[in-house]
Amino acid sequence: SADGAEPRPAGPAPVGGAAKASNKLLVRNVPFEASKPELRDLFSAFGQLKTLRMPKKFDGSHRGFAFVEFVSKAEAGKAMARLDGTHLYGRHLVLGYAKKEDTVEAMRDKLRAQMGAAGGGKRRKKG
């Protein structure tokens, strides 16, 4: 061009700080009334699910988040685009791509570290 300006690449700018696209989504703000079959029905509309995990508390109720793993990144991307911010039982679902450190084990270790002296995950029997 005459003014020497560089041509700009087409398409939206990448969002800063977002996890890299993967086939695994982290779903936050899951209402406690929501069941695993309900989430499976909701997400399977966008592709074939490989796994769906809802980490549980000691009392058996889930902890308000879930991991949804699709067979392909494209399916996960479709679900992310369509379901982020969707209402479920009056709560907005918050979707993000799960990072490698977002495994249940890593989150459990992080929680234990935060709880520290406040007493860890295992309950002691009173004798």
Side-chain angles (χ1 to χ4, degrees):
S1 66
D3 62 358
E6 290 288 315
R8 294 181 127 187
V15 178
K20 208 164 73 170
S22 77
N23 65 328
K24 193 178 210 177
L25 301 177
L26 171 59
V27 186
R28 292 186 176 99
N29 206 30
V30 176
F32 294 108
E33 305 93 315
S35 68
K36 200 169 180 175
E38 286 175 310
L39 280 187
R40 188 176 302 280
D41 286 349
L42 183 64
F43 283 92
S44 63
F46 299 96
Q48 190 180 345
L49 298 184
K50 200 168 171 184
T51 59
L52 187 146
R53 291 197 337 261
M54 294 174 80
K56 295 194 182 316
K57 294 191 240 177
F58 290 112
D59 66 5
S61 64
H62 72 80
R63 296 175 57 197
F65 66 93
F67 293 100
V68 181
E69 189 175 4
F70 284 89
V71 172
S72 77
K73 284 184 187 181
E75 292 168 337
K78 233 188 320 183
M80 176 105 149
R82 295 289 304 280
L83 293 177
D84 191 28
T86 299
H87 277 252
L88 185 61
Y89 291 103
R91 295 184 74 155
H92 288 285
L93 294 180
V94 179
L95 274 65
Y97 289 109
K99 298 180 198 126
K100 293 282 181 243
E101 64 269 18
D102 281 345
T103 64
V104 175
E105 294 74 28
M107 290 178 119
R108 206 175 277 150
D109 292 344
K110 189 175 171 185
L111 184 64
R112 275 196 199 110
Q114 287 172 354
M115 291 174 74
K122 294 203 184 336
R123 296 182 180 187
R124 294 184 190 96
K125 288 183 182 175
K126 291 183 180 173

